[in-house]
Amino acid sequence: MKRFIFLRLVNIIITLFIIATVTFFLMKLLPGSPFDEERLSKLSDEARLEFLAKYGLDQPVYVQYAKYIGSLIKGDLGISYYYKGQTVNALIKDRIGPSMLLGIQAVILGLSVGIILGIIAAYRHNTIWDYFTMLVAVLGVSIPNFVLAAILQFYVGLQWGLFPVAYWEGYQHTFLPTISLGVTVIAIIARFTRNEMLEVLQQDYILTAQSKGISECAVLIKHAIRNALIPVITILGPVFVSLLTGSLVIENIFSIPGIGSLFVDSIKMNDYTTIMGLTLFYSAFFILTILIVDLLYGIIDPRIRIHGRE
Amino acid sequence: MNTLLTIKNLHIHFETHVGKVQAVRGVDLSVKKGETLAIVGESGSGKSVTAKSIIGLLPKRNAMIDKGEIWFENKNLLTLNNKQMKKIRGAKIAMIFQDPMTALNPTMKVGKQVMESAIKHLNLSKKEARNKAVELLNLVGISNPETRLNQYPHEFSGGMRQRIVIAMALSCNPKLLIADEPTTALDVTIQAQILDLLKHIQKETGTAIIFITHDLGVVSNIADSVAVMYAGKIIEKGTVEEVLLKPNHPYSWGLLKSMPNLDTKGKLYSIPGSPPDMIQPLKGDAFAPRNEFALAIDYDMQPPMFKVSETHYAATWLLHPQAPKVDFIRETQDVLMKQDDKISSIDNNVLLEVKGLSKYFYLKSKQTLKAVDNIHLEIRRGETLGLVGESGCGKSTVGRTIIGLHEPTSGEIIYDNTKLTRHNQRQLTKKMQMIFQDPYSSLDPKMKVEDIIAEGLDIHHVVKDKKERKQRVEELLKTVGLQPHSASRYPHEFSGGQRQRIGIARALAIEPEFIVADEPISALDVSIQAQVINLLLKLQKENNLTLLFIAHDLSMVKYISDRIGVMYLGTIVELANSDELYKNPLHPYTQALLSAIPNANPIVEKSRERIILKGTLPSPVYPPSGCRFRTRCLLATDACEKTPEWREVETDHWVACHYA
Amino acid sequence: MQNMKKKEVEIPAKMFKIVGRKEETLEEIKRSHLTGWQDGWLRLKQNKAAMISLFVLLMIVILSIIGPHVNTYTYQQTNYDAVYLEPNSDHWLGTDKFGRDQWTRLWEGTRISLYIAVLAALLDILIGITYGAISAFKGGKVDHMMQRIIEILVGIPNLIIIILLIMMMKPGITTIIIAMVITGWVNMARLVRGQIFKLKNAEYILAARALGADGRRIIIGHMLPNTLGIIIINMMFTIPSAIFTEAFLSFIGLGLQEPLASLGVLINDGFQAMRNHFYLLAFPSIVIVSLMVCFNLLADGLRDAFDPKMRN
C-alpha cells in the first residue's frame, strides 16, 4: 500500500513537471505579449531592458526555464504580468475562497440529491419515479451549465427577483451559481447511482438476502445500497472536472471573484504567468483528487483492501 | 410420513422481448417431511423457476404465475401477502443458490450475513445470534468459526462459501431447504464434501430438501425421490430407485442411457435434437420429436400422468393400455452392440511428445502462477488421451500450449519428430486443431456460420474458388449433422449443442491429424453431451484422428479415452491405460477423484465407501513444496516434502507418489 | 382417473402406432433469421424516446442544411435599420444588434456546430482506434509506454489543454477541432484497448489463432467488427460533449469569431442582450438543448439495443 502511494506520488510529480514544461514553452511560442507593444517601443532602450529584467525576460529562454522550474520547486508560481506587482500565489489565495465554497456546495447538493434520486429510481424501476429521474439526468447533462445559468439569471433573478444575479456580497449570492453548477453533478450522480443500483439488485446475493425473509428495507439498505455506492466514488473524478469547467463560465456569468473567472480574465489579458500558474494549480488539484478517489475506493471496498495487502 | 409441501397444477410464464415463454406448464409435486426430493432436468426445463416460485422469489418484473397452488402448513403460499411470506421465507423455507461466488454480499462480513435471519426470525440478541452463528459454522465444518465470522466472503474458497451459504440457510431450522444446483459450480471433490454435509445436516435436523440438479449421479447419491422435468412439465416421478433403475418415460430412460458409467463400452445412446423452444406453443408430448418410440398420439395430445406404482408416475402414452409394449433396454442394446466396433487403430508411434513442459504466468502483482510445471506426456498416433483434473489444475493450459496459443516457459513439444518452434508453428497448425469449451463464446457472433467454418480454408488457401468453398462448408455441416443450408445463418440462431458442432466443423475443415478438445462438453446439457461425444468418436474413426480430450467429468473421459492422465496443481500425478487407471489407481488423488464421482445407480451409490478429501485446492501461486498433493493427502508423511519422482511402476502406468 | 378411462374409449388404435422421431425437424433452427444488427434495430424501434430523438435530430440536420437558404438573408448580412427586431413575419426569429437575420444565423450556426462536433468525434475515433489497437495488440513494453502517455494526458484537465492550444493557434473551425481531438481521442483509445484486451481471450479469437490467422486478420476480421457497436455508441456520447465544448469555448470568447456563427457564438450574443431581447438567447438555447438531449437519448437507446450484455 505504501509502495503504491509512493509510486503514484512519483508519477504525479513527473506529470506536473511535464505539464509545467509544456505550458512554459507553449507560452513562449504564443504570439502577442501581455504588454502594450506600442508603449514598450516608446521606452528608451535602457528603460525597456530594465522593464524586461523585472520579469526576467531579458535572459535566454533556457535560463528563464531553469529559473521558472527552480521557483516552482519552491512553490512560487511567479509574478503576474497583468495584476501589477501581485504574485500568482497571492492571486490564487485571494480568489480561492468563493470557488471552494461554490464547489463544495455543488458537490454536496449533487451527491445528496443525485444519490437519493438514483436509489429511488432503481428501486422503483420503470415507474414514474424512474422516468422522472431519467428526465432530470438527461436534461442535467444536456443543458449546458452556462445556458442554465443565463436562464436562471433571467427568470429567477431578473424577472422574479428571488435571488441576486451577480457579485459576491453575502450567502444568498451563492444560490444561483451553486444550482447552475450542481445540476450537472446531480445528473451525473443520479444516472450512475441508478445504473449501479439496478446492477446490484440483479445480483445473486440480493436474492439470498430476500430468501432470508428480512424486510425489504433491510435488503435495500444493508445489501444493495452499500454495494451500489462504492463505485460512485470512481466518478468523483469526472464530477470534479465538470465542476472545474463549469466554474470558468459560471463565475464569469455571476461576476464572482473566484479562480475560474481569474483564469478566463488572464486568458483575455494574455497574462501568461497567471495562466501557467493556474494550469499547474488545476492539474495538481485534479491529479490529487484522482489519487484520493483511488485510495478511498481501496479503503471502502474490502476486496481491494486485501489485494493491496498481498 | 406426512406431506410438507404440495404443488398443484402450477403454470408460470415470462414476458420477454421476443414473446411469452411458458416456463412451467402444469407442475404437480409433493414433498414429505424430512425427505430429499430431487428435481432433475436440463437447462430451461423449468426446475429452477418452480423452486423459486415456492419461496416467492421469481423476478417481479416479468414472471407471471398464471395458475396453481402451493400448499405448505395448510396455507396456499401463492395467496399470502408479502408480510406473511416474509415470516416463512428464511424461517420455515430456506434456499441455497447455485453459485457460491455470487451468493454472498461481498462487502458484508460473513458472520453478519449468517446472523441476519436468526436475528430477524428468532428474535435473538446480537450475542445470542453470534453464538448461534459459531454453532452453525461448526455444523457446516468451518474451523475457527470465531475468527472466520469477521472475514469477508472473498477470503473463502468456493467450497467454503457454499458451506457458509448452507449455514445461513440453516440458521432458523427451516422445515424445507431448497437447494438450487448447489454443487454445479464446484469441483468433484468439493461436490462430494458438500453432498456429504447436506446428508449429515438432514440427519441432524430432519429438514426436508428439494434438490435441483441436472446430474443424475448426484440424484442417486442424495435423493429419496425424484421428479424429472422436461419442457416445463414433470414427466416422471417416483422413488429414486424406481426412476433411476426402472424409468418409464423414454426421456428419463434416454437421459440415463446417455451418461456413460465406468463400464460403458461401444457407442453411447444419444437423444438427438435439442429441447423445444418454449416460445412456441407446444402441442402433444413435448418430447415426441426426439423420441424414437413416439406414438402417433404423442404429436396430438398431451399425455396424462399414468400410475406405475403407488409412488411411481410417468407422463407418456406408452403406459396406456392400448400402447405397444416397448422394452427399451433390449431394443437399443441391439443397436448399441452392433455399433460396438471401435477398432483400435492405435499403433505405438508417438505422434506428439511433451518433454518437461512448464508454463508460468507472471501476474501484475509480480507473483508467478505456475499453471503447468514440468510435465511429460506422449500421445500416440490414433489414440485418445484424456486429461482430467479439477479447475485450476492446468489441464487447459497444457492443451493451449501444445496448440501454440501459449508459448511454453520451458520444455519441448515435439510433433511428428519436429520440434515446435515459433517458425514452423503456422505450418503445424494445419495439422493440429482445437475444439473449445464454451459454445457461446467460441464462435464469432458477427460472422456467418459459413465464414466461421471456412476460416481455416481461407487462411491456408485450401480452396480454389467460392464454389468449392461453399461445397466444402456444406459437406462439413453434413458431417457434423447440421443442415447444409444453415450456412448463411449467424451463431446466435443455433442451440448450444449445434454451436459446439459448428466449432467441430471449423476444426475439421483443414483436415487436421491431431485435435485438442478442451472441455468440449462441459457447457452442454446431458442429452446433448452424448451427441457431441458420439460425433467425436465417429470422426476419429473416419479420419484416423488423434485426440487430446481435456475434461473434468471422469466418467466421460473414461468412456472416450484410451489412456488417461490425471493432473493436480500443474503437475501430472498419474498416467495409465484407462481401464488400468480405473481398476488400479495408485495415486491417492486419483483414488479420491474416482471415489468422488457419483454413480447413477442408487443402490451402488448408496452402499459404496467413498474417500472424501479434506480441504480445498491450494492456490497455484503458492503451491505446496514437494508433493503438491500432500496438504490434502490421507497418506502424507514427512517424506512427501520431497518432490516425488515421475516413474513407470508397471508397463505404461506412470505415477508420481512416494507411496505408490 | 375416470377421465382417463373415458379417453381410452375415444382414442382409435392407430394413434398408438410407433411413428418415431421427426428426424427432419430435429436440427431445424427455430430462432428467427436475424443478424445482430437487425435484432438491435428491432429493439431500438421499441424505444420510443430514442426513435423520437432520431426523428428530431434528422429534422435539425435537415433544417441546418436548408434553413439558411429558405429566406433571402445571409448569415453575415447586416442591416442597421433593422436591429433588435422581435420575431416577425419577415425575420422569423428576429434580428440581432447588427440587424442580422437570426433564422439564417441559427441554422448556419447549428450546421457549423454539428460539423465541428461530428468531425471531432470521427477524428477521435480514428486516432483512438489506431492507438488503442496498437497498444493492446503489441502488449508488453509498447503497451506499457503507451499507457503511461495516456495516464499523463488524462492527468491534465482537458479543457485547460484545449484553451492553451486555442490561444496558440488562429481561432477558427480547424483550430477548435484540432484542440478538441488532441484531448478527445484518449477516451476512445482506452475503450478500444480495453475491449481488445477482453476479446484477446475470447475463445473465438483463440480459435482463429489456432487456425493460424495472422494479426491483421484477427484485428480486421474479428476484433473490429466486435468492437464497432461499442465505438458507435461511444461516438453518440462524444458528439454532444463536443457540441458542449464548442459552445463553451465560443461562450468564453475563445471559439469562432464574428461574423461566423455557431451555437456558442449565438448563445454568447444572446446572453449579452438577454435583459431586453431574451429571444436572442432562447432560440439557440432551445436548439442546443434539443441536440444534446436527442444525442444522449439516442445513445442510451443504442446502448440498450446493442449492448452484448443484454443478449444471450
Side-chain angles (χ1 to χ4, degrees):
Chain A
M1 199 65 178
K2 269 181 194 156
R3 203 180 121 82
F4 170 75
I5 297 175
F6 175 76
L7 284 177
R8 284 290 294 264
L9 285 174
V10 170
N11 221 334
I12 288 172
I13 290 166
I14 294 172
T15 309
L16 286 178
F17 174 75
I18 293 173
I19 295 170
T21 309
V22 172
T23 39
F24 178 85
F25 287 103
L26 272 180
M27 291 297 138
K28 289 292 147 200
L29 287 172
L30 280 185
S33 131
F35 311 111
D36 195 333
E37 295 283 347
E38 234 173 278
R39 254 177 60 198
L40 212 58
S41 59
K42 277 182 200 151
L43 290 174
S44 66
D45 281 358
E46 206 176 312
R48 195 165 67 215
L49 274 180
E50 193 186 330
F51 182 81
L52 288 175
K54 184 179 159 196
Y55 292 98
L57 294 173
D58 54 338
Q59 282 151 322
V61 172
Y62 63 90
V63 179
Q64 290 182 32
Y65 173 67
K67 277 195 173 169
Y68 182 67
I69 297 293
S71 55
L72 273 188
I73 292 169
K74 281 181 269 171
D76 177 10
L77 295 171
I79 304 167
S80 164
Y81 290 165
Y82 178 74
Y83 300 95
K84 296 276 158 5
Q86 290 214 56
T87 62
V88 176
N89 294 42
L91 279 172
I92 293 177
K93 212 174 130 199
D94 284 352
R95 302 267 200 133
I96 189 114
S99 294
M100 286 286 279
L101 181 63
L102 285 185
I104 289 168
Q105 285 192 166
V107 167
I108 291 173
L109 175 77
L111 278 178
S112 51
V113 178
I115 286 174
I116 290 171
L117 276 181
I119 288 171
I120 296 175
Y123 184 60
R124 297 257 174 260
H125 187 43
N126 284 337
T127 63
I128 189 86
W129 282 101
D130 193 16
Y131 300 139
F132 172 74
T133 306
M134 286 316 284
L135 186 76
V136 169
V138 169
L139 284 179
V141 292
S142 298
I143 302 177
N145 41 24
F146 49 93
V147 172
L148 180 70
I151 291 169
L152 284 178
Q153 213 174 35
F154 184 74
Y155 281 106
V156 184
L158 298 175
Q159 301 286 69
W160 307 338
L162 292 179
F163 293 107
V165 295
Y167 307 119
W168 192 251
E169 291 158 350
Y171 189 65
Q172 68 224 36
H173 285 258
T174 69
F175 280 38
L176 291 185
T178 301
I179 292 172
S180 306
L181 280 174
V183 165
T184 323
V185 185
I186 292 178
I188 299 176
I189 301 271
R191 188 192 181 98
F192 192 85
T193 310
R194 172 182 175 270
N195 290 346
E196 281 303 320
M197 197 64 188
L198 283 177
E199 178 92 30
V200 166
L201 286 176
Q202 281 181 12
Q203 298 294 315
D204 283 357
Y205 58 80
I206 297 296
L207 214 56
T208 312
Q210 285 169 343
S211 78
K212 289 179 191 168
I214 55 177
S215 70
E216 248 167 287
C217 204
V219 174
L220 206 62
I221 293 170
K222 288 190 191 159
H223 295 275
I225 292 179
R226 186 185 156 95
N227 284 296
L229 288 191
I230 289 174
V232 171
I233 300 168
T234 56
I235 55 156
L236 288 181
V239 163
F240 281 115
V241 173
S242 97
L243 282 177
L244 198 150
T245 318
S247 73
L248 299 188
V249 270
I250 300 296
E251 288 180 11
N252 250 302
I253 289 175
F254 292 98
S255 311
I256 292 161
I259 48 173
S261 54
L262 176 68
F263 190 59
V264 176
D265 289 344
S266 56
I267 290 170
K268 287 181 181 152
M269 303 305 168
N270 282 351
D271 184 356
Y272 296 154
T273 33
T274 312
I275 296 175
M276 279 156 67
L278 280 176
T279 304
L280 274 176
F281 178 78
Y282 276 139
S283 305
F285 173 77
F286 180 59
I287 295 169
L288 282 174
T289 312
I290 291 181
L291 177 65
I292 291 169
V293 164
D294 283 357
L295 292 179
L296 214 62
Y297 197 78
I299 289 168
I300 291 176
D301 193 328
R303 283 162 294 184
I304 295 177
R305 218 186 293 163
I306 288 299
H307 280 288
R309 213 184 287 154
E310 270 175 6
Chain B
M1 281 206 282
N2 36 22
T3 308
L4 180 69
L5 178 104
T6 311
I7 301 178
K8 283 184 186 158
N9 197 24
L10 186 68
H11 287 258
I12 300 170
H13 82 262
F14 286 90
E15 298 285 352
T16 68
H17 83 286
V18 278
K20 210 170 163 183
V21 175
Q22 276 298 340
V24 176
R25 309 182 300 137
V27 162
D28 288 282
L29 204 61
S30 62
V31 186
K32 296 192 196 80
K33 275 188 185 148
E35 80 162 339
T36 302
L37 166 76
I39 303 181
V40 214
E42 300 176 271
S43 47
S45 62
K47 53 189 194 304
S48 265
V49 178
T50 307
K52 279 184 187 149
S53 71
I54 298 173
I55 198 167
L57 286 180
L58 289 174
K60 287 187 195 95
R61 200 142 35 103
N62 59 358
M64 292 286 298
I65 297 179
D66 301 316
K67 56 181 168 184
E69 293 159 25
I70 299 176
W71 289 93
F72 176 81
E73 295 192 328
N74 297 323
K75 276 176 260 176
N76 180 357
L77 298 183
L78 296 181
T79 60
L80 296 187
N81 64 25
N82 221 342
K83 210 174 148 196
Q84 293 165 316
M85 202 56 212
K86 256 174 223 151
K87 286 200 182 125
I88 291 177
R89 229 182 264 155
K92 295 192 170 148
I93 305 178
M95 187 142 182
I96 303 167
F97 296 93
Q98 174 172 357
D99 188 357
M101 302 314 264
T102 57
L104 292 168
N105 182 346
T107 58
M108 193 192 265
K109 283 176 184 163
V110 162
K112 226 172 153 191
Q113 297 190 54
V114 174
M115 278 143 51
E116 214 171 15
S117 54
I119 291 174
K120 164 87 185 175
H121 296 293
L122 307 177
N123 291 321
L124 299 185
S125 69
K126 277 250 165 87
K127 207 177 151 212
E128 288 166 331
R130 209 182 155 79
N131 290 337
K132 174 99 190 166
V134 170
E135 201 181 293
L136 283 166
L137 289 199
N138 266 327
L139 177 70
V140 298
I142 290 177
S143 46
N144 289 328
E146 280 89 357
T147 43
R148 304 229 79 177
L149 279 178
N150 287 324
Q151 291 181 320
Y152 287 96
H154 65 264
E155 297 170 62
F156 293 81
S157 68
M160 283 294 151
R161 286 194 210 186
Q162 197 60 301
R163 286 169 191 265
I164 291 164
V165 174
I166 293 172
M168 231 157 66
L170 291 175
S171 62
C172 301
N173 300 322
K175 297 229 168 73
L176 176 63
L177 196 60
I178 302 172
D180 188 357
E181 306 238 14
T183 59
T184 307
L186 305 172
D187 279 317
V188 229
T189 57
I190 310 295
Q191 165 171 297
Q193 294 174 354
I194 297 290
L195 291 178
D196 233 43
L197 173 66
L198 282 172
K199 280 192 278 192
H200 168 74
I201 282 164
Q202 192 172 37
K203 215 188 278 168
E204 298 269 301
T205 62
T207 172
I209 300 178
I210 295 182
F211 195 101
I212 293 155
T213 180
H214 63 273
D215 186 336
L216 292 168
V218 171
V219 173
S220 100
N221 177 292
I222 197 164
D224 301 312
S225 48
V226 188
V228 184
M229 281 189 84
Y230 186 79
K233 282 179 81 83
I234 290 181
I235 50 107
E236 182 156 9
K237 60 186 174 188
T239 64
V240 67
E241 288 83 10
E242 285 167 338
V243 175
L244 295 190
L245 296 179
K246 287 182 235 116
N248 268 284
H249 195 285
Y251 173 69
S252 345
W253 176 82
L255 212 54
L256 273 160
K257 224 35 209 167
S258 55
M259 293 177 34
N261 58 31
L262 296 180
D263 305 317
T264 309
K265 289 268 189 279
K267 196 184 172 198
L268 268 186
Y269 181 81
S270 78
I271 308 174
S274 21
D277 208 338
M278 310 284 277
I279 289 172
Q280 271 96 6
L282 298 170
K283 201 182 168 205
D285 184 350
F287 184 62
R290 303 175 69 192
N291 180 2
E292 66 175 300
F293 307 111
L295 304 175
I297 191 172
D298 276 322
Y299 290 101
D300 223 53
M301 218 191 268
Q302 259 189 42
M305 269 288 181
F306 289 95
K307 187 171 172 183
V308 182
S309 76
E310 271 315 307
T311 45
H312 190 181
Y313 296 84
T316 168
W317 285 113
L318 287 172
L319 287 172
H320 192 277
Q322 273 174 276
K325 293 283 160 274
V326 177
D327 184 352
F328 301 130
I329 297 165
R330 232 200 16 244
E331 292 271 341
T332 48
Q333 205 120 53
D334 295 348
V335 185
L336 294 179
M337 289 313 273
K338 242 184 280 164
Q339 303 199 357
D340 182 15
D341 52 356
K342 191 193 171 193
I343 314 152
S344 216
S345 55
I346 310 164
D347 45 28
N348 274 331
N349 280 340
V350 174
L351 178 68
L352 184 110
E353 198 180 352
V354 172
K355 274 191 200 162
L357 181 74
S358 298
K359 176 66 198 171
Y360 299 168
F361 293 101
Y362 300 99
L363 305 180
K364 265 204 168 147
S365 51
K366 301 266 148 85
Q367 293 159 320
T368 307
L369 190 151
K370 297 182 176 172
V372 175
D373 206 6
N374 193 20
I375 67 158
H376 304 269
L377 265 185
E378 274 177 11
I379 304 175
R380 296 165 194 166
R381 200 181 281 276
E383 80 165 340
T384 302
L385 179 74
L387 207 51
V388 285
E390 295 173 280
S391 53
C393 71
K395 55 189 191 301
S396 286
T397 311
V398 172
R400 290 181 178 188
T401 313
I402 289 177
I403 223 82
L405 292 175
H406 294 312
E407 209 164 312
T409 307
S410 64
E412 288 181 350
I413 299 162
I414 299 160
Y415 183 84
D416 211 1
N417 296 323
T418 327
K419 195 183 158 198
L420 227 74
T421 61
R422 215 184 280 181
H423 308 290
N424 60 16
Q425 201 186 66
R426 212 175 123 81
Q427 215 179 309
L428 284 174
T429 50
K430 260 185 87 174
K431 299 185 179 165
M432 306 204 284
Q433 270 310 302
M434 186 148 180
I435 299 167
F436 291 86
Q437 173 177 9
D438 182 0
Y440 289 88
S441 83
S442 62
L443 306 179
D444 187 337
K446 292 278 190 291
M447 265 172 128
K448 283 184 182 163
V449 165
E450 182 177 359
D451 299 322
I452 292 173
I453 293 179
E455 183 155 30
L457 303 177
D458 298 344
I459 291 169
H460 295 284
H461 309 289
V462 181
V463 285
K464 289 191 297 288
D465 50 25
K466 278 216 170 122
K467 215 182 118 202
E468 196 191 335
R469 182 178 188 259
K470 194 168 175 228
Q471 205 185 330
R472 194 76 186 95
V473 168
E474 287 180 355
E475 254 168 54
L476 284 161
L477 278 171
K478 262 186 256 168
T479 315
V480 297
L482 293 171
Q483 291 171 335
H485 62 253
S486 43
S488 63
R489 290 175 175 270
Y490 286 86
H492 69 98
E493 300 168 42
F494 295 83
S495 69
Q498 288 171 330
R499 290 188 206 204
Q500 198 56 294
R501 282 182 276 161
I502 295 171
I504 294 175
R506 167 177 59 192
L508 285 177
I510 49 173
E511 297 174 337
E513 304 170 324
F514 171 64
I515 290 186
V516 175
D518 186 5
E519 305 228 24
I521 53 166
S522 63
L524 303 174
D525 274 322
V526 182
S527 77
I528 311 295
Q529 290 185 348
Q531 294 172 10
V532 172
I533 291 294
N534 278 340
L535 175 65
L536 278 176
L537 285 176
K538 183 188 93 170
L539 295 171
Q540 177 173 38
K541 205 166 65 188
E542 285 170 7
N543 306 342
N544 195 23
L545 289 171
T546 307
L547 274 178
L548 175 61
F549 188 89
I550 299 167
H552 64 264
D553 178 341
L554 288 97
S555 24
M556 244 351 154
V557 174
K558 160 73 173 59
Y559 169 70
I560 196 173
S561 310
D562 301 301
R563 291 189 304 142
I564 295 174
V566 180
M567 283 191 77
Y568 184 81
L569 267 189
T571 58
I572 298 188
V573 294
E574 188 162 4
L575 178 74
N577 282 327
S578 44
D579 286 331
E580 163 77 9
L581 187 90
Y582 278 76
K583 271 184 220 125
N584 182 24
L586 295 176
H587 197 283
Y589 179 63
T590 314
Q591 291 164 1
L593 209 56
L594 283 172
S595 138
I597 319 170
N599 190 310
N601 182 329
I603 296 171
V604 177
E605 177 67 18
K606 281 179 178 147
S607 60
R608 75 196 175 99
E609 283 280 319
R610 342 179 51 191
I611 307 165
I612 301 218
L613 286 181
K614 45 185 184 177
T616 53
L617 208 65
S619 150
V621 177
Y622 302 107
S625 62
C627 174
R628 294 195 169 177
F629 184 59
R630 70 188 166 93
T631 51
R632 296 172 75 194
C633 185
L634 301 169
L635 306 175
T637 59
D638 292 344
C640 299
E641 280 170 37
K642 272 206 333 242
T643 308
E645 196 192 337
W646 178 238
R647 58 201 168 95
E648 193 169 14
V649 230
E650 281 159 52
T651 328
D652 266 356
H653 195 151
W654 293 73
V655 71
C657 176
H658 297 291
Y659 294 97
Chain C
M1 278 298 162
Q2 273 178 351
N3 202 3
M4 243 170 61
K5 269 185 190 139
K6 233 190 323 184
K7 269 184 196 159
E8 261 172 56
V9 188
E10 286 167 17
I11 301 167
K14 69 169 183 172
M15 292 298 274
F16 287 103
K17 223 175 69 197
I18 296 186
V19 291
R21 295 173 185 133
K22 282 190 178 169
E23 300 276 1
E24 70 284 3
T25 62
L26 280 178
E27 296 301 340
E28 202 173 56
I29 293 142
K30 286 149 194 139
R31 301 272 177 97
S32 51
H33 189 21
L34 285 178
T35 65
W37 299 112
Q38 285 170 322
D39 190 34
W41 173 242
L42 279 184
R43 283 161 186 266
L44 188 66
K45 272 210 293 204
Q46 286 172 358
N47 185 335
K48 277 191 207 111
M51 290 315 285
I52 294 172
S53 301
L54 190 61
F55 177 75
V56 173
L57 280 179
L58 282 176
M59 291 306 293
I60 293 179
V61 170
I62 292 170
L63 275 171
S64 73
I65 294 165
I66 61 166
H69 307 291
V70 295
N71 59 21
T72 53
Y73 307 102
T74 67
Y75 71 95
Q76 50 190 2
Q77 182 183 337
T78 55
N79 178 359
Y80 291 99
D81 296 332
V83 297
Y84 289 133
L85 288 182
E86 300 260 322
N88 58 43
S89 60
D90 196 21
H91 295 282
W92 300 330
L93 300 181
T95 59
D96 66 1
K97 58 189 174 210
F98 301 119
R100 292 177 297 199
D101 181 58
Q102 283 303 290
W103 168 272
T104 315
R105 279 184 73 72
L106 178 66
W107 297 120
E108 180 74 19
T110 307
R111 205 185 72 240
I112 290 177
S113 286
L114 275 174
Y115 172 75
I116 291 174
V118 172
L119 203 63
L122 282 176
L123 287 172
D124 277 357
I125 288 178
L126 213 66
I127 300 172
I129 290 178
T130 319
Y131 193 96
I134 292 174
S135 179
F137 219 72
K138 291 273 177 195
K141 275 186 187 146
V142 178
D143 179 47
H144 192 75
M145 273 309 294
M146 290 175 90
Q147 284 319 106
R148 288 291 88 75
I149 293 173
I150 283 195
E151 261 169 40
I152 289 172
L153 279 176
V154 168
I156 314 166
N158 280 352
L159 213 78
I160 308 269
I161 304 184
I162 295 179
I163 290 172
L164 291 178
L165 284 169
I166 288 183
M167 286 177 67
M168 254 188 70
M169 294 183 281
K170 212 171 70 208
I173 295 177
T174 329
T175 310
I176 294 189
I177 292 178
I178 291 173
M180 291 204 304
V181 170
I182 279 181
T183 56
W185 63 271
V186 177
N187 274 332
M188 188 56 77
R190 290 181 130 189
L191 190 85
V192 170
R193 176 178 172 272
Q195 183 70 9
I196 288 183
F197 261 109
K198 213 170 78 192
L199 289 181
K200 248 184 170 175
N201 289 317
E203 287 192 344
Y204 62 85
I205 300 289
L206 293 180
R209 281 179 53 205
L211 284 166
D214 52 15
R216 219 178 84 95
R217 188 183 178 89
I218 286 173
I219 293 186
I220 294 172
H222 294 284
M223 285 181 168
L224 280 186
N226 283 290
T227 318
L228 206 61
I230 293 182
I231 290 172
I232 291 174
I233 292 165
N234 200 272
M235 179 176 161
M236 294 314 256
F237 282 114
T238 314
I239 292 176
S241 81
I243 293 176
F244 170 83
T245 309
E246 183 279 322
F248 174 87
L249 290 171
S250 298
F251 189 82
I252 58 172
L254 282 173
L256 297 185
Q257 305 297 318
E258 300 264 5
L260 279 180
S262 78
L263 289 172
V265 171
L266 292 172
I267 290 172
N268 191 11
D269 284 352
F271 176 67
Q272 309 300 341
M274 171 177 85
R275 285 176 188 240
N276 302 313
H277 309 284
F278 189 69
Y279 65 92
L280 284 176
L281 175 65
F283 295 118
S285 299
I286 291 171
V287 173
I288 199 172
V289 172
S290 315
L291 274 178
M292 305 261 298
V293 168
C294 291
F295 269 113
N296 278 313
L297 285 179
L298 183 62
D300 272 346
L302 282 174
R303 189 177 47 194
D304 290 347
F306 289 96
D307 193 335
K309 252 201 299 187
M310 313 267 298
R311 206 185 316 131
N312 237 330

